[in-house]
């Protein structure tokens, strides 16, 4: 595929309006060509930055347009699998917002449909496209921290004033684990290349959704602890702690919103180490949403494997399923 990938979006979600729509519009080798929404009011902000956008009044109508190559699906969580399958049946490449499914087993449906139709389908797990995470993986796997002993993750925000938000509704697959747990869990798997072997967890529930989860897991080479919450002061941080160094990511998941993407490498031993010195790498301009669209398009053009396949995302969903199974109540 040498021409720009022509993208359509199913639904005028706020996240699509503020993040992914502009990212598709700005990405090299991509064209934001269509939006499906029955609301002219919701379409207006998209037309403001992409005036050539064609607006369809139904998802089916957009999927029936042969000029659309790929679709981005930002619908409520419980609708992801249904519309991803329909999009693949229509011959469209699919980027579906996380979590792509609500259960690990549902990934088998997506993978089977992907393989049967020959399209590219992936979860919109954008952080693995960010250079700070690619660098973090390089540092950890090259031994810059020595032997990795412990990983900790923190991600929280407070949406208690938005009880009608889909993230606060059990019927739409809401809750902190599905919304932001994918980040503290999947990023650890991405950086270390390891899978957990044992779990314990504690969950605080409110109106049928998890609003605070503490997680403890044993990986083959290290201990893991994390928490996610939708009822706490906004915070995010990932720390990888080895016997010869510590790597800290200060804005790991929402860089440029929560703060500057920055890696801090703390080392006290080694040839180049200076006691008390912190080596800092900054990534102020990187836009992982735009990079995600460009990586997706590059895979379509040259046939290389996409860096975050459905098989990887299934592993993170398996962790989420297991946490729900073993968790006690806070």
């Amino acid at each position: 595929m040498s021409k720009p990938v022509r993208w359509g979006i199913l639904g005028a979600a706020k996240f699509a309006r503020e993040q992914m729509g502009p990212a598709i519009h700005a990405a090299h080798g991509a064209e934001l060509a269509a939006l499906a929404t029955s609301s002219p009011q919701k379409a207006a902000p998209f037309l403001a930055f992409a005036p050539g956008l064609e607006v369809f009044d139904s998802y089916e109508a957009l999927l029936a347009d042969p000029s659309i190559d790929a679709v981005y699906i930002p619908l409520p969580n419980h609708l992801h699998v249904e519309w991803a399958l329909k999009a693949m049946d229509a011959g469209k490449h699919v980027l579906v917002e996380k979590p792509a499914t609500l259960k690990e087993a549902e990934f088998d449906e997506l993978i089977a449909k992907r393989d049967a139709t020959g399209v590219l389908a992936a979860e919109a797990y954008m952080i693995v496209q960010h250079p700070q995470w690619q660098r973090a993986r390089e540092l950890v796997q090259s031994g810059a921290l020595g032997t990795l002993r412990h990983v900790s993750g923190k991600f929280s925000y407070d949406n208690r004033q938005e009880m009608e938000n889909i993230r606060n509704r059990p019927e739409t697959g809401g809750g902190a684990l599905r919304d932001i747990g994918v980040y503290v869990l999947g990023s650890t798997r991405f950086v270390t290349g390891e899978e957990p072997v044992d779990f314990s967890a504690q969950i605080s529930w409110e109106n049928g959704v998890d609003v605070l989860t503490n997680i403890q897991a044993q990986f083959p080479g290290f201990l893991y602890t994390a928490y996610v919450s939708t009822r706490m002061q906004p915070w995010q941080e990932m720390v990888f702690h080895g016997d010869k160094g510590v790597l800290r990511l200060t804005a790991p998941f929402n860089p440029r919103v929560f703060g500057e993407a920055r890696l801090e490498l703390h080392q006290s031993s080694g040839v180049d180490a200076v006691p008390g010195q912190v080596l800092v790498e900054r990534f102020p301009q990187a836009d992982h949403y735009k990079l995600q669209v460009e990586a997706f398009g590059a895979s379509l053009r040259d046939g290389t494997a996409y860096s975050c396949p459905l098989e990887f995302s299934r592993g993170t969903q398996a962790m989420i399923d297991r946490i729900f199974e073993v968790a006690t109540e806070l």
Side-chain angles (χ1 to χ4, degrees):
M1 179 180 291
S2 57
K3 295 180 180 179
V5 178
R6 286 175 53 83
W7 285 85
I9 299 177
L10 299 188
K14 177 182 178 182
F15 186 77
R17 180 178 73 243
E18 295 181 352
Q19 300 292 349
M20 280 299 295
I24 294 170
H25 183 63
H28 175 75
E31 177 186 352
L32 181 55
L35 170 72
T37 177
S38 59
S39 170
Q41 291 79 16
K42 290 183 178 180
F46 290 85
L47 289 164
F49 65 79
L53 190 71
E54 183 173 3
V55 179
F56 294 87
D57 62 5
S58 72
Y59 305 152
E60 291 88 351
L62 188 153
L63 293 180
D65 185 340
S67 74
I68 301 302
D69 303 310
V71 294
Y72 166 64
I73 302 176
L75 299 172
N77 294 343
H78 69 298
L79 298 176
H80 288 175
V81 171
E82 174 188 353
W83 285 100
L85 293 172
K86 289 180 177 180
M88 286 188 273
D89 275 333
K92 310 303 183 189
H93 305 287
V94 174
L95 187 63
V96 59
E97 194 48 60
K98 54 80 194 162
T101 76
L102 299 182
K103 292 288 184 180
E104 179 192 5
E106 293 178 307
F107 269 99
D108 294 337
E109 295 182 72
L110 297 182
I111 291 170
K113 184 68 70 175
R114 176 202 66 190
D115 294 346
T117 57
V119 300
L120 173 59
E123 183 180 63
Y125 194 61
M126 74 294 181
I127 66 168
V128 299
Q129 311 298 343
H130 198 290
Q132 71 168 333
W133 280 107
Q134 294 167 2
R135 178 62 171 151
R137 180 170 63 173
E138 177 187 5
L139 288 168
V140 170
Q141 296 195 10
S142 70
L145 308 184
T147 301
L148 186 63
R149 298 297 192 189
H150 190 274
V151 177
S152 63
K154 306 170 185 177
F155 196 1
S156 62
Y157 66 92
D158 191 343
N159 70 354
R160 76 186 73 204
Q161 302 303 320
E162 306 172 42
M163 294 309 296
E164 292 305 311
N165 188 293
I166 59 173
R167 294 166 183 82
N168 279 319
R169 294 164 53 189
E171 69 273 18
T172 56
L177 259 181
R178 289 182 173 126
D179 186 40
I180 55 179
V182 294
Y183 294 120
V184 297
L185 300 171
S187 63
T188 301
R189 297 175 56 242
F190 176 75
V191 166
T192 66
E194 293 192 16
E195 301 291 344
V197 295
D198 193 25
F199 281 103
S200 62
Q202 302 81 40
I203 296 179
S204 177
W205 298 89
E206 185 178 308
N207 298 320
V209 299
D210 54 294
V211 298
L212 169 62
T213 299
N214 291 319
I215 307 161
Q216 304 83 38
Q218 183 65 57
F219 283 70
F222 60 91
L223 180 66
Y224 171 83
T225 59
Y227 67 77
V228 292
S229 178
T230 54
R231 294 294 185 272
M232 293 170 64
Q233 170 73 18
W235 190 256
Q236 54 186 263
E237 180 183 54
M238 289 293 298
V239 178
F240 298 82
H241 199 148
D243 61 359
K244 294 183 179 179
V246 176
L247 180 64
R248 176 174 178 257
L249 286 76
T250 62
F253 310 123
N254 294 121
R256 305 198 303 171
V257 175
F258 183 77
E260 181 185 58
R262 188 173 76 244
L263 299 183
E264 297 177 356
L265 179 59
H266 302 250
Q267 293 176 308
S268 59
S269 62
V271 176
D272 300 320
V274 176
Q277 185 181 53
V278 180
L279 303 178
V280 178
E281 297 184 31
R282 293 180 167 86
F283 308 86
Q285 301 302 320
D287 180 344
H288 49 197
Y289 301 113
K290 178 173 174 285
L291 291 170
Q292 175 179 238
V293 175
E294 291 174 346
F296 194 93
S299 292
L300 295 182
R301 281 188 290 274
D302 60 28
T304 59
Y306 187 61
S307 57
C308 188
L310 291 174
E311 286 82 356
F312 174 85
S313 297
R314 180 173 57 188
T316 301
Q317 186 60 50
M319 290 185 70
I320 293 174
D321 288 358
R322 183 65 178 148
I323 289 166
F324 278 130
E325 288 172 5
V326 304
T328 57
E329 191 165 349
L330 278 172

